[in-house]
Amino acid sequence: MNHYHTTLHLTAPAATVYAALTTPTGITSWWTRNCTVGTALGETLTVRFGATYKVLRIERLEPAREVRWRCIDSYLHVPGIIDAKDEWKDHELIFRLREHGATATALDFDHIGLNPSVACYDICTGGWAQFLSSLQAYVQTGTGRPYQS
């Protein structure tokens, strides 16, 4: 496997996890407060972290099963480390949910395109660890730790 992958074991129904990934309330509760969230196939989700932004097109929505986004525009700005336009362009973000009973879900997350040859690899993998932990907290307790400018 030549991309970022992780699996989370969540104490939450798949429908709750799916809502966290597909609704404005969900995204702003675990990822970033500064965003615009489309909710239908073909619409976009734009997430902002200071000067950094990602524009993601919604490519697949299978309720309680899968969410897939493709990055169509991005700018990564980390002062003194990286200033890269389009670093994530054409990357895919895939969330696959596997329900385990009524109150547990395994979440397989893949960031296709994020590999050690990408300049932001260390920063982005650290960011995913932080924000996926926030997602886990949000679906399990109702309180995540999203980015706030």
Side-chain angles (χ1 to χ4, degrees), residues 66-132:
E66 185 174 330
V67 174
R68 184 180 298 234
W69 302 320
R70 177 176 297 276
C71 185
I72 58 173
D73 190 20
S74 71
Y75 177 71
L76 181 64
H77 177 70
V78 181
I81 298 173
I82 189 169
D83 206 11
K85 185 161 178 59
D86 295 337
E87 176 115 295
W88 278 29
K89 191 160 168 69
D90 292 324
H91 286 203
E92 284 186 285
L93 308 179
I94 305 166
F95 301 85
R96 291 185 183 94
L97 291 69
R98 292 177 282 126
E99 196 165 52
H100 294 284
T103 60
T105 304
L107 171 66
D108 290 310
F109 173 71
D110 292 283
H111 181 152
I112 310 295
L114 183 59
N115 60 61
S117 69
V118 175
C120 76
Y121 183 76
D122 292 333
I123 294 163
C124 292
T125 57
W128 280 126
Q130 173 186 341
F131 291 119
L132 291 173

Side-chain angles (χ1 to χ4, degrees), residues 13 29 47 50 52 54 74 82 90:
S29 294
V47 292
T52 294
K54 312 287 191 268
S74 71
I82 189 169
D90 292 324

Side-chain angles (χ1 to χ4, degrees), residues 13-27 30 64 67 97 135 138-139:
T16 299
V17 179
Y18 183 80
L21 298 169
T22 59
T23 65
T25 298
I27 297 293
W30 69 269
V67 174
L97 291 69
L135 171 63
Y138 174 63
V139 300

Side-chain angles (χ1 to χ4, degrees), residues 23-29 31-38 45-49 54:
T23 65
T25 298
I27 297 293
T28 60
S29 294
W31 201 3
T32 179
R33 299 250 189 241
N34 190 1
C35 62
T36 55
V37 180
L45 161 71
T46 302
V47 292
R48 294 177 188 83
F49 310 88
K54 312 287 191 268

